[in-house]
Amino acid sequence: MPIHFDLLGPLSVVRDGRPVDLGSVKQRLVLACLLFRPNEAVSKERLVTALWDDQPPASANANIRTYVRGLRQALHDEADDQPRIVTTHGGYLLRVEPDERDLDRFDAATARGREALTSGDAERAEAELVAALGLWRGRALAELPLPPQLSRWVEQLMERRLLAEEDHAEAKLALGAPAEVIPRLRALLDRHPLRQRAWVHLMSALYASGDVAGALAAFRQVRRVLAEETGMDPGPELTRLHDDILHHRRHPDGSSATVERVAVSSVRVRPEQLPLVPPGFVGRELHLSRLDAAVGDRASGPTTVVISAVCGMAGIGKTALALHWAHRVADRFPDGQLHVNLRGYDDGERVAPADALLGFLEALGVPLARIPSSLDARIGLYRSLLASREMLIVLDNARDAEQVRPLLPGAGRCVVVVTSRDQLHSLVAAEGARLLALDLLTATESRNLLRSRIGGDRLDDEPDAVADMIEASGRLPLALSIVAARVATRPTFPLEAIAAELRPPEARLEVLADGDVRRVFSWSYRALSPVAARLFRLIGLHPGPELTSAAAAALLGCSAAAVGPVLKELTRLHLLTEHRPDRYACHDLLRSYAAELTQGAEQGAERHDARHRLYDHYLHSAYPAARLVQPQWTPITPVPALGDVIHVPMADQDAALAWFSTERRVLLRVIRQAATTGFEAYAWQLAWALTTFLAPRGLWHDQFAAQQVALQAAECLGDLNAQATASRLLGRAAARLGQHDTAGDRLEWAIKLYEQLDDEDGLAQTLHNYTEHCFVLGRVDEALTHGHEALRLYRRTGNRAGEGRALNAVGYMHAVRGDYRQAIVDCTAALTQQRLIDDHNGQAATLDSLGFAYHALGDHARAVSCYERSVELFRASADRYHQAETLVRLGETHAAMGNAEAAAQAWRLASAIYDDLGDPTVDDARRRLAGLGQAVGGPPC
């Protein structure tokens, strides 16, 4: 059934000729917001702001869901299997078909009317414009308490209606019906007395009706109104018309108004203010295509101003993109281009909207003496002049939306491109601007930029140096341009020499000083509030590559609630990027700049305290997570927590695993930094906590690096227990990486330290690891001896988890020696022990050993059962490395049973895990698959 959404008056919806009950006022407001942006996702946050501004109730989101549910029920059409309101990520989308909104029908009809008017078909123009104006039933969205974003939109709709009224009057005059025009124009001018085009039509209609005195009286009236309201005289069109009437140079035949409009249009000034496009522009194809798409075919579309907002951090290339695109499409704007650098973040004073308008009005041909003094009057004149023009307007380097709004046309077919470091969210929300956020250049684009400035031969000769220069510049266009200039002015220097200058992070800003990178960054920094500026400086103390709001709160020494608005301010100015929810990244050059600032602005004690809070945040979030991930590990005693620092709560093992997975790269950097800034205890304890996550995943390189730092930190502290712990975990990682000499040295050193400390539990753990080391080297008898000693020590200390694992190790050694019956006895005892204490990971390892023994005895069915249960338990405990090992053995048993399909499935899963972990064992699993394919005469997969 047909449905109409009517906004041009009180909001109403009509289906099949009958009104639809839209419910309460707030429910109608939700519909109005969705109709404001049809077929686009509208966020819940925007809806909450529209309904309650900055004081939403606690139940706001629930209320929004209730209103949406009510609208869905009201708009439901049984004949349509697609819902009208679709839930999207974080919001809702109202599906609206062409011509279902009266606004769209109005825009289409006015566009057809103007096209007919331009082509001289006044009769068709009048019919289309009458139809368009007939759609209005009063003020748009009347009877609703409109929020600011909808109020501004309604004002824009009113401007479009007034332009259509003026076009309609012009069509009626061209048809020789001046008497019909006069009442409508008088009513319009009573409400909007500053519209000079309407006064032109009224004077023309009065003159064409024979009322010369009335036409002259109308001129006196408009001159008085303009003087009182704006301080300006009537414009050229009104003045010329008045002069023609006084001197009887017009023929009262109804055609003079149209002739006059054409005459005035033919002598319009065509400004061309675009500055020179910067050289060497590269990439940004997606953004260029989005700018092209936003413009589209304006000639056949409604008279809507198109606004694109290009935002990004300092030096990202916003102006270069805007000007490159503007020059590329300049010929599509017959009335010219306007450009202004608003200097929103420059050293000097920013350009006031009134001053920008003064320049624009002069460029549009308005004599300086006729430009009004007040801002509102200048806005009115500027919008009147642009209403019938097709122009491109570039507003460069805007501070915020408030600086931009007065410079936006009210109607017409103009296109506006705004560039800003601010995200301009309110311009997107209220004016419907399309946001284009610029990211860093890709490596290929960066190389192309250098090539455009330097020349290809030098780059091709030293590809490694070029890669290092690109990495050091952080793929930031401004920094790359400075590097290119440095290379170009040193034609005899090898690129490696310049790359070497850029490699130390602390030296990069100094090398790039010729291009004023610091000064460019400083413009954004000086725009910050004091608390945001302090957080930005303190971020220079964070090792990166990203931080959360909790980590930021720790740096700042405040609550999570207090840090939210500060992060929002830094993000809005692109000093931080929230690339994922609550994950904030800072460009490397900005981080270096922040580090410089904090050295000068914060006292040494303040920097120490900020780092202390940061490391405390990470350690006392990581330690509880580690206890959840590996509850059977013997715990350490962490440094006491600070009382006023936020720690991330861990609800369960899944939450702990997710946190480690997200923070792994950060924690590795924090460990290194803590060890070099006087917080060695935090370094080794964080390394221990992180290893509970790394080891089960086979991330041996990360574990090796973390434990190397941990061992050095422990040695600096003179803490023998910490040294023993780090040495043991380092040895285990080295063994897994095939560094057997290092593994043996580290494990033997840990054994000596634990003996010196008389720590039997630590000694038992290390002997357990040493058992594995000896086994890998083929020293099975020695491995069995160490396994028995570890078992004895575990039993002495009452470590039941260790006892179960040692029993399993001893049983596996027996199996390797061929004593499968004894292996089953030992492993069955281990499994019983592990089930009593609910050690799932230990059970998984023991079931794997039992599977190995049963397979060797030819009891393949029991082997498969053990292996499959082992795989389930390893998967449940997120121990992917050992899960893959067991899958390989499960495949062997299936193959021995002649079940090639099951074997292939197990080996594929193992290959996928090893591949994901980056473990070289993947090659062995693939060889097994390939061999299986050859054996059965088919492909391996």
Side-chain angles (χ1 to χ4, degrees):
M1 292 183 288
I3 189 168
H4 287 159
F5 298 99
D6 296 332
L7 302 95
L8 305 181
L11 177 63
S12 67
V13 177
V14 178
R15 181 193 290 115
D16 202 24
R18 298 177 182 175
V20 174
D21 183 4
L22 299 178
S24 67
V25 169
K26 289 201 181 307
Q27 187 163 298
R28 296 162 74 88
L29 263 179
V30 170
L31 178 59
C33 291
L34 296 175
L35 285 168
F36 170 41
R37 307 188 73 145
N39 302 311
E40 294 184 28
V42 179
S43 68
K44 293 177 184 175
E45 291 78 10
R46 185 170 294 166
L47 293 173
V48 168
T49 301
L51 268 61
W52 294 285
D53 197 18
D54 58 352
Q55 294 182 322
S59 60
N61 285 329
N63 291 353
I64 292 292
R65 290 194 295 271
T66 299
Y67 299 143
V68 169
R69 184 164 57 250
L71 289 171
R72 280 179 172 148
Q73 292 171 353
L75 301 177
H76 176 66
D77 184 352
E78 294 181 357
D80 188 353
D81 58 356
Q82 297 294 323
R84 274 287 171 176
I85 300 179
V86 180
T87 301
T88 65
H89 179 67
Y92 302 96
L93 177 149
L94 174 64
R95 187 168 53 84
V96 178
E97 301 299 330
D99 292 335
E100 287 186 340
R101 290 194 314 172
D102 57 355
L103 172 58
D104 297 326
R105 299 196 298 277
F106 167 78
D107 283 337
T110 53
R112 292 192 298 269
R114 289 192 179 98
E115 182 183 4
L117 199 58
T118 302
S119 63
D121 188 350
E123 185 173 352
R124 183 164 68 90
E126 194 272 342
E128 291 286 2
L129 291 164
V130 164
L133 292 167
L135 294 169
W136 285 82
R137 299 168 290 111
R139 182 175 176 81
L141 299 179
E143 302 175 6
L144 283 180
L146 299 180
Q149 57 178 290
L150 289 183
S151 295
R152 285 190 285 266
W153 185 49
V154 165
E155 291 301 322
Q156 294 170 3
L157 297 183
M158 178 57 68
E159 177 68 21
R160 283 145 74 173
R161 178 183 183 179
L162 295 173
L163 286 169
E165 288 278 8
E166 292 167 350
D167 289 336
H168 175 255
E170 183 173 331
K172 294 293 285 186
L173 287 170
L175 290 171
E180 298 178 25
V181 171
I182 293 170
R184 291 185 73 134
L185 286 172
R186 287 198 185 281
L188 185 154
L189 288 166
D190 283 344
R191 300 189 304 274
H192 307 279
L194 299 180
R195 300 191 71 83
Q196 295 194 46
R197 186 181 172 212
W199 283 107
V200 167
H201 292 332
L202 177 60
M203 288 174 61
S204 299
L206 290 167
Y207 181 75
S209 300
D211 187 359
V212 177
L216 295 174
F219 180 79
R220 291 192 296 273
Q221 183 180 356
V222 66
R223 182 169 59 188
R224 184 180 68 253
V225 168
L226 288 171
E228 292 174 353
E229 296 290 333
T230 70
M232 64 181 287
D233 293 329
E237 195 170 358
L238 270 171
T239 303
R240 189 177 297 112
L241 176 59
H242 176 249
D243 190 60
D244 286 349
I245 292 173
L246 279 176
H247 294 89
H248 304 288
R249 287 195 291 264
R250 290 204 153 221
H251 301 286
D253 59 1
S255 62
S256 56
T258 302
V259 173
E260 176 67 13
R261 183 173 187 239
V262 173
V264 172
S265 298
S266 66
V267 296
R268 280 181 177 173
V269 175
R270 187 181 189 276
E272 297 186 1
Q273 293 190 325
L274 291 179
L276 180 69
V277 65
F281 181 85
V282 298
R284 307 297 193 198
E285 294 301 327
L286 176 61
H287 297 90
L288 290 169
S289 64
R290 288 182 62 191
L291 285 168
D292 286 337
V295 176
D297 185 8
R298 291 166 295 110
S300 60
T303 57
T304 301
V305 176
V306 177
I307 307 168
S308 295
V310 181
C311 67
M313 67 176 287
I316 200 72
K318 302 178 292 294
T319 297
L321 170 68
L323 292 181
H324 177 80
W325 178 80
H327 278 280
R328 195 171 79 170
V329 300
D331 60 349
R332 295 169 61 181
F333 297 89
D335 295 312
Q337 321 98 34
L338 297 172
H339 173 275
V340 63
N341 180 357
L342 294 171
R343 304 189 182 281
Y345 295 91
D346 285 8
D347 284 327
E349 289 188 9
R350 71 193 73 165
V351 176
D355 294 335
L357 287 168
L358 178 66
F360 282 172
L361 291 171
E362 283 190 278
L364 291 167
V366 181
L368 189 60
R370 292 186 177 275
I371 296 177
S373 57
S374 74
L375 175 61
D376 288 343
R378 288 182 182 181
I379 294 171
L381 178 58
Y382 168 70
R383 289 177 175 167
S384 296
L385 291 171
L386 293 184
S388 57
R389 284 174 163 84
E390 292 185 54
M391 298 193 72
L392 174 60
I393 303 159
V394 179
L395 307 176
D396 193 20
N397 196 16
R399 178 94 171 183
D400 50 35
E402 296 310 311
Q403 191 183 21
V404 168
R405 280 200 177 96
L407 308 180
L408 299 176
R413 291 192 175 89
C414 293
V415 170
V416 182
V417 178
V418 186
T419 73
S420 180
R421 299 180 193 183
D422 191 287
Q423 291 183 335
L424 301 176
H425 286 315
S426 64
L427 200 69
V428 174
E431 278 75 23
R434 295 165 170 84
L435 186 64
L436 282 78
L438 295 192
D439 202 348
L440 300 170
L441 296 177
T442 64
T444 300
E445 290 170 341
S446 301
R447 194 172 295 106
N448 289 340
L449 189 152
L450 292 176
R451 189 177 297 273
S452 71
R453 308 285 182 90
I454 299 170
D457 292 343
R458 294 184 72 185
L459 299 184
D460 294 339
D461 290 343
E462 298 185 68
D464 293 341
V466 171
D468 287 349
M469 290 191 296
I470 289 172
E471 181 182 357
S473 67
R475 295 182 282 120
L476 185 69
L478 172 62
L480 284 164
S481 299
I482 296 169
V483 170
R486 194 171 181 86
V487 172
T489 57
R490 293 164 174 79
T492 61
F493 278 40
L495 297 185
E496 172 58 31
I498 295 172
E501 294 177 339
L502 290 165
R503 285 192 185 104
E506 63 276 6
R508 288 173 189 167
L509 287 178
E510 197 60 44
V511 175
L512 300 173
D514 291 344
D516 285 337
V517 169
R518 284 191 184 90
R519 185 166 64 90
V520 172
F521 288 167
S522 73
W523 296 337
S524 295
Y525 172 68
R526 290 202 300 268
L528 296 170
S529 65
V531 65
R534 180 167 182 260
L535 177 56
F536 176 70
R537 296 192 301 270
L538 293 175
I539 285 171
L541 302 177
H542 190 283
E546 56 189 18
L547 77 162
T548 62
S549 56
L555 278 171
L556 202 54
C558 69
S559 67
V563 84
V566 187
L567 287 168
K568 187 175 182 180
E569 182 178 350
L570 291 171
T571 304
R572 181 172 56 82
L573 293 178
H574 289 277
L575 292 168
L576 287 179
T577 302
E578 189 179 13
H579 61 99
R580 285 183 291 155
D582 199 35
R583 306 297 299 180
Y584 297 88
C586 184
H587 189 276
D588 287 345
L589 291 176
L590 278 171
R591 191 183 301 279
S592 296
Y593 177 63
E596 283 189 358
L597 291 174
T598 195
Q599 290 296 325
E602 261 70 38
Q603 299 294 323
E606 292 176 325
R607 295 195 299 273
H608 178 277
D609 290 347
R611 284 196 175 104
H612 194 177
R613 292 191 298 270
L614 181 69
Y615 302 149
D616 182 89
H617 159 73
Y618 282 117
L619 176 60
H620 289 285
S621 299
Y623 184 76
R627 297 294 295 130
L628 286 167
V629 171
Q630 296 288 7
Q632 73 281 354
W633 281 30
T634 302
I636 62 172
T637 304
V639 177
L642 298 176
D644 55 351
V645 174
I646 296 174
H647 305 127
V648 179
M650 302 295 167
D652 50 31
Q653 188 182 74
D654 288 343
L657 290 169
W659 185 83
F660 271 128
S661 180
T662 304
E663 297 288 354
R664 175 170 65 95
R665 290 191 305 154
V666 177
L667 291 172
L668 287 168
R669 293 191 182 197
V670 170
I671 289 164
R672 287 194 296 269
Q673 189 188 70
T676 59
T677 53
F679 291 89
E680 291 86 355
Y682 286 91
W684 84 261
Q685 291 179 5
L686 266 171
W688 178 89
L690 180 58
T691 297
T692 65
F693 173 80
L694 298 174
R697 277 148 197 79
L699 299 172
W700 308 116
H701 288 285
D702 285 353
Q703 179 175 331
F704 189 86
Q707 293 303 329
Q708 272 190 315
V709 175
L711 182 56
Q712 292 166 2
E715 289 171 345
C716 286
L717 291 169
D719 185 334
L720 296 184
N721 182 65
Q723 291 177 44
T725 301
S727 194
R728 178 178 69 81
L729 294 175
L730 180 60
R732 188 159 186 258
R736 290 294 187 173
L737 291 171
Q739 300 178 24
H740 300 300
D741 290 344
T742 301
D745 290 344
R746 291 296 96 211
L747 290 171
E748 288 167 8
W749 179 242
I751 289 170
K752 290 180 181 178
L753 289 174
Y754 281 125
E755 287 175 341
Q756 183 178 340
L757 292 165
D758 197 25
D759 183 346
E760 292 188 337
D761 196 66
L763 179 59
Q765 291 179 64
T766 311
L767 286 170
H768 188 122
N769 297 143
Y770 199 63
T771 298
E772 183 179 359
H773 169 68
C774 292
F775 167 73
V776 170
L777 294 179
R779 292 151 38 188
V780 178
D781 290 343
E782 185 182 351
L784 189 57
T785 299
H786 293 308
H788 279 296
E789 179 61 13
L791 177 60
R792 184 184 70 81
L793 290 171
Y794 276 133
R795 283 172 171 163
R796 274 173 59 98
T797 61
N799 186 331
R800 300 177 69 189
E803 179 184 349
R805 290 177 181 236
L807 264 172
N808 173 48
V810 168
Y812 187 73
M813 293 302 110
H814 283 301
V816 170
R817 297 175 69 185
D819 190 352
Y820 305 115
R821 300 295 179 187
Q822 185 59 48
I824 291 171
V825 170
D826 290 335
C827 290
T828 301
L831 189 62
T832 301
Q833 176 85 309
Q834 289 160 340
R835 283 173 173 164
L836 288 173
I837 60 173
D838 211 23
D839 181 359
H840 291 172
N841 190 264
Q843 291 175 53
T846 301
L847 285 163
D848 175 79
S849 299
L850 283 168
F852 178 77
Y854 283 125
H855 176 95
L857 288 171
D859 192 345
H860 294 144
R862 295 185 74 174
V864 166
S865 176
C866 289
Y867 281 142
E868 286 179 341
R869 181 60 182 149
S870 173
V871 167
E872 290 175 10
L873 289 168
F874 276 135
R875 184 189 300 116
S877 58
D879 190 337
R880 302 189 71 206
Y881 181 84
H882 292 104
Q883 179 189 348
E885 281 191 334
T886 302
L887 281 166
V888 170
R889 284 191 276 274
L890 174 61
E892 290 174 347
T893 303
H894 279 307
M897 298 171 71
N899 192 342
E901 184 177 347
Q905 183 180 4
W907 288 337
R908 284 193 197 99
L909 288 173
S911 296
I913 294 172
Y914 282 135
D915 199 36
D916 192 38
L917 296 175
D919 194 287
T921 313
V922 68
D923 295 333
D924 176 65
R926 286 171 178 163
R927 279 194 297 270
R928 292 173 185 272
L929 272 171
L932 184 65
Q934 292 170 3
V936 299
C941 296

